[in-house]
Amino acid sequence: MINRTSLSRNPLSYALATAVLLSAAPAFAQSTTTETESATKSSATNLETVTVTGSRISRDVFNSVSPVQVITREETTLAGFQSTAGVLQSTAITAGAAQINNAYGGYVTNGGPGANTVGLRGLGPTRTLILMNGRRVAPAGTRGSVGAADLNVLPDAMIDRVEVLKDGASSVYGSDAVAGVINIITKSKVDGVTFEARQTATDGGGGEERRYAIVAGTTGASGHISGSYEYYNRDGLTLADREWTRCNTDYRRLPTGGGWGGADTIDPLTGQPKCYPITGTGSNGVTINTIGTNNMTGVAAAGARGTTFNRWRPNSAVTTGLVGFEGVGGGQTTNTNIRDTFDPRTLNRSLISGAETHTAFLQGGLDLGVMGDAEAYFELLGNRRESEQTGYRQLSLDYLRGSPLIPSNLASSNFGGGVGVRAFIGFGNDKSSQKVDFFKGTAGLRGNLSSTWDYDFALSHSRSDADYTMESFLTDRLSKSLNVVADGAGGFRCVDTSDGCVAAPRLTSAVIGGELPRAWTDYVFVPVTGNTLYTETTANISFSGPLFSLPHGDVRGAFGAEWRRAKIDDTPSIHSINNNLYNLTSSTPTRGTDSVKEVFGELEIPVLSGVTAAEELTFNVSGRWTDYDSYGSDHTYKIGGLWTPVSWVSFRASYGTSYRAPALFEQFLGATSGFLSNQIDPCNNWGSDPGTALARNCASEGLAPDFQATQSVSVIQAGGAESGLKAETSKNFTGGIVLQPEFPSAVGDISLAVDYFDIDVSNGVSRAGGANLLELCYNSPDFRAGGGFCRLIDPRNPVNNALTVHDSYVNLATDKVRGLDFTLRYTRDLGPGSLRATAQVTRFLEQSNKLFADDELIDYNGMLNTPDKSGTLDLVYTWNKWKFRYGLEWINKMQSYDYYELDAATSVYKFDVPSYFLHALSTEYKGDKWSVVAGVRNLRNETPPVISSGAYSRVGNSPLYSGYDYVGRTYFVNLSKSF
């Protein structure tokens, strides 16, 4: 089946002159167009010419035609977000598209555990460009797949606002701006000192956040300097901390119907559903406290049937058959899932990663009085992130045939491959941690070439230096410890005693139950550390100003050049390089560099202004020539236009192209040979899914209905540079209308914007994921004859039925999204104060892709984790020094029955979820130099919906999906004091 949780989608669109802040306004943000008009009419308002995200041409911010979504820090604080990462990953920005956040600590993700990234339009973080003050934020993170900016590095305390452009912008900003641009803008000038403290508390405990910050600065006659330091800490949240994650079951129903969960395996010892089953994909179960043998005759455990088994658990009361053991699976039994698969320690696993960050930021400028009143400016950003995750480890310990460690009653066992007995041991919890040091320094010079033309030259260098540590069994030490002889004193010693080898324990009931000698575990289970270094250097220069005059205004232009060089050097632990991590991925170093030279230009052409049927008619055009060392040269362009026939309506449209060379990790990822657990094999117990495409496909390979894979699934990964990976290209069209009818003040002000977007990516670079590839292939009605994902899976090994998956970076033939953005804004005076209401809805019409050019385009719109609709509502009432806010976030219902050719009325799987709503309340009081904000998010303590196992990665019984709140009801308070 399919897993769409996405471990797997500049703008010169001058589309809106009078509603720049309206077109994609978040449900909790920014001034309205009406407020803008009021500010324009006020004599006290000082209109400043600035560069708005979406263009390199300076315009008055109050009549910019770029469709920019503006989010102020004050509004994010009122909404209860504790970080810029939180607000950027919210539904208001992402329209429900899955994002990588702290809930993905136990999964292999780009950027490594603990990283937080954002991608617009569901097109992924590598296709969304992150800027800070108009300059790129370089990637940061751990492991070889570092290719997107980590939102953890941002200086939250110094951020003034965020501008979000959901429109392609490669011709203005270069590669990566395929789906849009996010520009984080810091406070330009600060005078005085401000202390700030934030704290959250959760209903169920765990996951609390706290942030303490100081901001200080001074502005003089010829310069300014300001900076901040902040400390952020988030407590981890475990599966045990929430009731809805404490018991993961299959959550299916019987073929004869009945309620959901009716088909769950019942534990004969408790009479309750068996938590953490081993069936299905995305289950959290492991096989523990049992042993594997060849088929042997013995006594059935309670709930098991038959007399022949190949899975056993200790039972000292058994005196016949296999003495000391009872049969729990395999052989002639008709119930293969009664083995002990639950260990309470699995609940110690991380639901939300714990994290701690320190961030320092310093910026300043000095007026030189020469070179056109030039200002020399600089920015310094430093960040350290330390994050950690708790996992759970199963140990499959193979005792070779003839080993003196095997007791006599099991001496005849032949599990296969030279193994006499395989012990499935619940080893317990393990730890992973990351320490990421990020630095970004910028120095520049900007000034005037003349009274109308200006210039800006900047140099920037970024460096991410990260260590990542995990605990692992070492294959060579396990092998040495199992090769033993008697020591003459009733115990055993290693045959090879080098490096302090400690003999493995004798196979006993206690060992099977996880009671292992500390000296042995300290020898075979050790921390291993790798290092990831990512550097990026950028130099750019730009010039802008009027070129010549037309009857209705000046033709303005912006021109410039840029050079960038990036380098990645990921060196895994030597044990990983040498394939010495037992039952874990092995990786070779990822090393590569790339550089690019670019020149760009942009024109803004005012055709008509202030005439009948044309309050404004403006065209814009931009172009960029790009030359990569890795992929050669190409060009991109964009054209756009704005027409305002009368003051209350505007039309806009733009069309552009993008060109994105693959990220360094996509090109140079070191050859990685890993594996997935044998439990991920889609054909395990396929007989329990009769009549499905999965059942037909598994049967076609000659597998028995009760087939159980005994071999891990091999996964071979590598960068795509050597296999002909190409650059990806895309086309982007947007068009919209803005209505701002004029009503009497008693009615209030109403604004409506409707925007259509269409992004088509060709030769898109992506890696599907080994588990996804297996599910997609084995659940495909056409199976191997249909090509597609099955092309990346080798035929089963004829000896042991093992699977091998090739999951390298490839060029996806097509990745396409289409949809509509709706924004409705209403403001009016109400009683002693004023009311502002904003509703935003995104309606996807298509979210489709295909892997190969001759495959069918599959539309995932509306499927699980890929909502077709999402929306937000924001109500803010302001009175004197008070603000009161109500917020609503909505994700539409989703279902995947159609894709899997299942009948929702009769399917044994629950593959649909209802609409999901989150409510929030907050209030703010502002004193002269202090303020306090307090409120609650997830007011009703909504838990995520549930689905069946078998297709999607799950947390508990809920989808692994960033659109759902895993923490629950959260109370927050923010205190600020200025001096």
Side-chain angles (χ1 to χ4, degrees), residues 877-916:
Y877 184 76
T878 303
W879 170 59
N880 198 5
K881 296 182 178 182
W882 291 89
K883 282 187 178 180
F884 304 91
R885 176 188 181 271
Y886 165 75
L888 172 68
E889 299 177 36
W890 160 65
I891 295 174
N892 195 35
K893 61 184 179 181
M894 297 174 275
Q895 63 89 12
S896 297
Y897 290 113
D898 295 341
Y899 175 75
Y900 296 123
E901 300 180 350
L902 298 173
D903 184 345
T906 60
S907 173
V908 301
Y909 298 98
K910 183 178 184 346
F911 282 161
D912 64 341
V913 295
S915 292
Y916 185 75

Side-chain angles (χ1 to χ4, degrees), residues 282-502:
S283 66
N284 298 306
V286 290
T287 302
I288 61 170
N289 302 349
T290 59
I291 60 171
T293 67
N294 59 298
N295 287 335
M296 301 176 70
T297 301
V299 175
R305 301 171 187 169
T307 58
T308 302
F309 307 91
N310 58 26
R311 293 290 189 277
W312 311 83
R313 66 185 175 204
N315 185 344
S316 60
V318 175
T319 58
T320 60
L322 184 56
V323 176
F325 292 88
E326 58 185 10
V328 294
Q332 296 174 356
T333 181
T334 59
N335 186 345
T336 62
N337 192 24
I338 67 156
R339 67 190 78 166
D340 185 2
T341 60
F342 180 72
D343 184 333
R345 292 174 296 179
T346 61
L347 298 180
N348 296 330
R349 291 184 302 150
S350 295
L351 174 60
I352 300 291
S353 294
E356 182 178 85
T357 64
H358 298 265
T359 307
F361 180 72
L362 186 66
Q363 64 180 3
L366 178 65
D367 295 334
L368 301 180
V370 296
M371 300 178 65
D373 295 325
E375 178 192 41
Y377 63 90
F378 74 93
E379 293 177 2
L380 298 174
L381 171 62
N383 172 272
R384 166 169 285 188
R385 166 170 63 92
E386 297 184 44
S387 50
E388 64 178 15
Q389 302 81 34
T390 299
Y392 180 85
R393 186 64 58 84
Q394 174 208 42
L395 172 61
S396 297
L397 190 59
D398 288 341
Y399 289 85
L400 300 181
R401 296 194 68 191
S403 171
L405 299 175
I406 299 177
S408 59
N409 61 330
L410 291 170
S412 63
S413 173
N414 182 9
F415 185 77
V419 176
V421 178
R422 173 170 291 173
F424 299 98
I425 300 170
F427 181 75
N429 299 118
D430 61 321
K431 296 285 187 180
S432 298
S433 63
Q434 305 80 39
K435 183 178 72 174
V436 184
D437 290 322
F438 178 83
F439 169 80
K440 181 177 187 290
T442 299
L445 189 69
R446 55 192 168 209
N448 300 317
L449 293 174
S450 66
S451 60
T452 56
W453 276 79
D454 57 53
Y455 67 90
D456 191 345
F457 172 74
L459 289 171
S460 180
H461 179 74
S462 298
R463 176 186 176 93
S464 171
D465 190 351
D467 292 330
Y468 53 97
T469 301
M470 60 184 294
E471 294 177 301
S472 176
F473 296 100
L474 301 184
T475 302
D476 60 350
R477 292 191 179 187
L478 280 172
S479 178
K480 289 172 62 175
S481 74
L482 287 163
N483 184 17
V484 301
V485 294
D487 63 3
F492 301 92
R493 64 172 176 83
C494 301
V495 172
D496 181 355
T497 59
S498 62
D499 71 8
C501 178
V502 178

Side-chain angles (χ1 to χ4, degrees), residues 459-767:
L459 289 171
S460 180
H461 179 74
S462 298
R463 176 186 176 93
S464 171
D465 190 351
D467 292 330
Y468 53 97
T469 301
M470 60 184 294
E471 294 177 301
S472 176
F473 296 100
L474 301 184
T475 302
D476 60 350
R477 292 191 179 187
L478 280 172
S479 178
K480 289 172 62 175
S481 74
L482 287 163
N483 184 17
V484 301
V485 294
D487 63 3
F492 301 92
R493 64 172 176 83
C494 301
V495 172
D496 181 355
T497 59
S498 62
D499 71 8
C501 178
V502 178
R506 189 172 185 270
L507 182 61
T508 64
S509 296
V511 167
I512 297 169
E515 298 178 23
L516 302 168
R518 180 61 181 270
W520 179 72
T521 59
D522 287 346
Y523 171 67
V524 298
F525 190 69
V526 301
V528 294
T529 299
N531 176 266
T532 306
L533 180 64
Y534 193 104
T535 60
E536 185 174 277
T537 302
T538 303
N540 57 59
I541 187 169
S542 62
F543 307 90
S544 65
L547 293 170
F548 54 87
S549 296
L550 291 177
H552 294 277
D554 292 337
V555 175
R556 300 178 62 84
F559 308 93
E562 182 167 300
W563 172 83
R564 296 192 307 275
R565 183 178 187 273
K567 178 180 180 180
I568 189 171
D569 186 345
D570 175 67
T571 305
S573 160
I574 188 63
H575 296 294
S576 178
I577 296 174
N578 292 338
N579 196 19
N580 196 34
L581 303 182
Y582 183 67
N583 284 350
L584 289 177
T585 298
S586 64
S587 302
T588 58
T590 296
R591 292 174 181 148
T593 61
D594 204 358
S595 64
V596 58
K597 301 182 290 291
E598 298 178 300
V599 293
F600 54 85
E602 178 181 351
L603 295 176
E604 178 181 290
I605 307 168
V607 179
L608 294 173
S609 178
V611 300
T612 302
E615 291 289 329
E616 179 175 1
L617 178 61
T618 301
F619 291 104
N620 297 267
V621 59
S622 62
R624 176 177 291 253
W625 176 80
T626 302
D627 185 11
Y628 276 92
D629 283 354
S630 56
Y631 289 97
S633 61
D634 202 350
H635 67 275
T636 58
Y637 67 89
K638 189 170 186 178
I639 56 176
L642 165 73
W643 176 39
T644 305
V646 292
S647 60
W648 56 271
V649 61
S650 295
F651 299 92
R652 59 167 179 214
S654 65
Y655 176 84
T657 62
S658 296
Y659 169 85
R660 188 183 79 87
L664 291 180
F665 76 91
E666 293 169 332
Q667 299 181 53
F668 303 112
L669 182 67
T672 302
S673 59
F675 73 95
L676 297 170
S677 166
N678 59 319
Q679 297 300 327
I680 209 72
D681 192 316
C683 289
N684 285 335
N685 293 318
W686 65 261
S688 63
D689 301 319
T692 63
L694 171 68
R696 293 192 299 272
N697 296 336
C698 294
S700 71
E701 293 189 316
L703 304 176
D706 62 350
F707 170 76
Q708 277 287 317
T710 59
Q711 302 295 317
S712 300
V713 177
S714 299
V715 181
I716 301 174
Q717 304 171 354
E722 295 183 357
S723 59
L725 189 67
K726 301 176 182 178
E728 65 180 33
T729 59
S730 64
K731 300 174 182 178
N732 188 316
F733 171 79
T734 62
I737 181 173
V738 177
L739 302 175
Q740 293 181 287
E742 297 182 1
F743 294 106
S745 58
V747 176
D749 296 310
I750 300 176
S751 301
L752 172 66
V754 181
D755 297 290
Y756 171 78
F757 58 88
D758 187 336
I759 304 174
D760 193 338
V761 179
S762 299
N763 297 318
V765 178
S766 183
R767 186 161 54 88

